[in-house]
Amino acid sequence: MTYRVVQWTTGNVGKKSVHAITANTELDLVGCYAWSADKVGRDVGELCGIDPLGIAATDDVDALLALGPDCVVYNPMFADVDDLVRILEAGINVVTTSEFIDGTCLCAGRDRVVDACERGGATIFGSGINPGFIQLFAIVTAGISDRVDRISIVESFDTTIYNSPATEIPMGFGYPIGHPELQAVTEKGSGIFREAVLLVADALGVDLDGVRCQADYAQTTEDLLLPGDWTIAAGCVAGIDVRWTGLVGDRQIIEVRGVWTKGQTLEPVWSPSFGYTITVEGRPTIKSTLSFEPPPDFVGETLDDFVMLGLTITAMPAITAIPAVVAAPPGIATYTDLPLLLPRGVLTTTPPRS
């Protein structure tokens, strides 16, 4: 069947979602929500850098809900509980790349989301950010060891070309290196990693005794002028190494870690790898490294072209999940609740140009 989809916002990840939805033979884009007034009335294809689609972006939520889509692809960085409740209680499913896996980050708002799912008979699935599929990758990897002692997930990138100060400042980038609240800022900004730890624990069938967050920082020794007319001043944070650990007793059994740097002027000097590393310590110990590169026909003319390529792996897990989420019972669904997510509608019939 073909699934009718409404796209929610056209920011960095939202643009990539539109690209993927319109290219997928099993999905039909029927509407798009515009967060900013200057996008209202403009063609969604134009907003996302592709050919016109004949669909105008709108901020009229009632009109979008009246379209009766099977699913909303919800891509704001931070979830708006009021919006999610309106969508779900209207009986429309949601897949999201927002700061949402099991809804813990929403605090009291989680109960409102659960109630909306029950009233509307709808399901919400959060693939997680940065991207969240890497937790699923770790879970699958752990399934080929007959004993698991510890699971480590490490994401490591130089994010200098990433134009999103609104998502990086809440993590601690740009703060004075000695700011007294820096640890608290990073803990709050990376709170989705706590949900990721809990997801892996659920897959292992273990109840954790605690989840802890700790971060280390590097400062830039020179002013850094970054995309989006954003400057990190010398002496301020330009490298973050944040670690969320799940404990049984005093033993760390799960680690979800992000190492992000900007430029070559860090103090202390960090030399992070590029990509994702999953280590399952056990019998046997298994180490997997996931990286990505452009296809032969990729044409990158701007920094944004390369950023968009990387954002594909953030956008796609949620989109791939649409059929399973539509078929799922009402409520909050995670990777541990859904069946194997199948990459339908993405196979090309012609080989790429070399």
Side-chain angles (χ1 to χ4, degrees):
M1 63 178 290
T2 299
Y3 299 90
R4 292 165 48 82
V5 175
V6 162
Q7 172 64 35
W8 208 272
T9 70
T10 55
N12 287 334
V13 179
K15 288 178 181 178
K16 192 60 214 181
S17 292
V18 169
H19 295 179
I21 293 166
T22 55
N24 192 303
T25 58
E26 296 197 351
L27 303 178
D28 181 17
L29 184 67
V30 297
C32 179
Y33 175 76
W35 181 78
S36 55
D38 62 315
K39 295 182 179 181
V40 173
R42 295 174 60 186
D43 189 277
V44 178
E46 174 198 345
L47 290 174
C48 297
I50 57 178
D51 292 338
L53 299 174
I55 299 171
T58 180
D59 59 359
D60 187 338
V61 175
D62 289 333
L64 291 171
L65 300 182
L67 294 171
D70 297 296
C71 192
V72 164
V73 176
Y74 187 87
N75 291 139
M77 175 63 181
F78 302 106
D80 184 302
V81 174
D82 291 337
D83 285 342
L84 290 178
V85 167
R86 288 184 69 180
I87 297 166
L88 294 165
E89 67 183 5
I92 300 167
N93 303 289
V94 174
V95 296
T96 179
T97 60
S98 294
E99 195 176 33
F100 186 104
I101 294 177
D102 67 4
T104 301
C105 281
L106 300 182
C107 300
R110 186 182 191 279
D111 291 337
R112 293 181 59 203
V113 169
V114 171
D115 289 343
C117 289
E118 293 176 354
R119 290 195 304 271
T123 305
I124 180 171
F125 166 76
S127 62
I129 56 175
N130 297 326
F133 87 93
I134 205 68
Q135 284 89 59
L136 177 61
F137 194 69
I139 291 167
V140 172
T141 302
I144 56 177
S145 293
D146 69 359
R147 190 192 77 219
V148 174
D149 302 324
R150 183 175 181 270
I151 295 177
S152 171
I153 302 167
V154 181
E155 173 193 342
S156 182
F157 285 101
D158 184 320
T159 67
T160 303
I161 66 172
Y162 186 55
N163 180 7
S164 188
T167 62
E168 294 193 304
I169 292 174
M171 298 292 293
F173 279 103
Y175 277 71
I177 194 71
H179 194 287
E181 301 298 323
L182 189 53
Q183 287 278 340
V185 168
T186 302
E187 181 170 346
K188 181 179 180 181
S190 63
I192 189 64
F193 280 19
R194 183 179 189 276
E195 294 190 23
V197 169
L198 295 174
L199 175 70
V200 177
D202 180 56
L204 291 171
V206 63
D207 292 323
L208 298 176
D209 294 317
V211 181
R212 296 177 184 170
C213 176
Q214 182 179 358
D216 293 321
Y217 304 92
Q219 62 183 314
T220 176
T221 58
E222 301 176 9
D223 290 355
L224 292 178
L225 180 60
L226 301 169
D229 293 326
W230 177 37
T231 298
I232 297 181
C236 293
V237 173
I240 298 176
D241 180 352
V242 59
R243 301 171 299 284
W244 284 83
T245 53
L247 298 96
V248 173
D250 294 330
R251 184 168 146 246
Q252 297 182 4
I253 64 166
I254 300 167
E255 177 188 63
V256 177
R257 179 181 179 189
V259 183
W260 306 300
T261 61
K262 290 189 179 296
Q264 305 299 313
T265 60
L266 296 185
E267 182 183 84
V269 176
W270 290 356
S271 300
S273 57
F274 178 89
Y276 304 88
T277 302
I278 296 91
T279 305
V280 177
E281 298 175 16
R283 190 174 58 194
T285 290
I286 301 165
K287 187 172 184 178
S288 304
T289 301
L290 186 149
S291 58
F292 57 90
E293 59 187 34
D297 59 343
F298 176 75
V299 178
E301 298 178 350
T302 67
L303 288 178
D304 283 346
D305 292 333
F306 290 91
V307 170
M308 291 298 287
L309 180 68
L311 290 175
T312 301
I313 61 175
T314 299
M316 282 308 298
I319 292 171
T320 302
I322 288 174
V325 172
V326 171
I332 295 174
T334 70
Y335 283 117
T336 61
D337 302 308
L338 298 177
L340 178 66
L341 304 182
L342 302 174
R344 298 288 173 79
V346 296
L347 181 67
T348 58
T349 57
T350 57
R353 300 185 305 273
S354 58

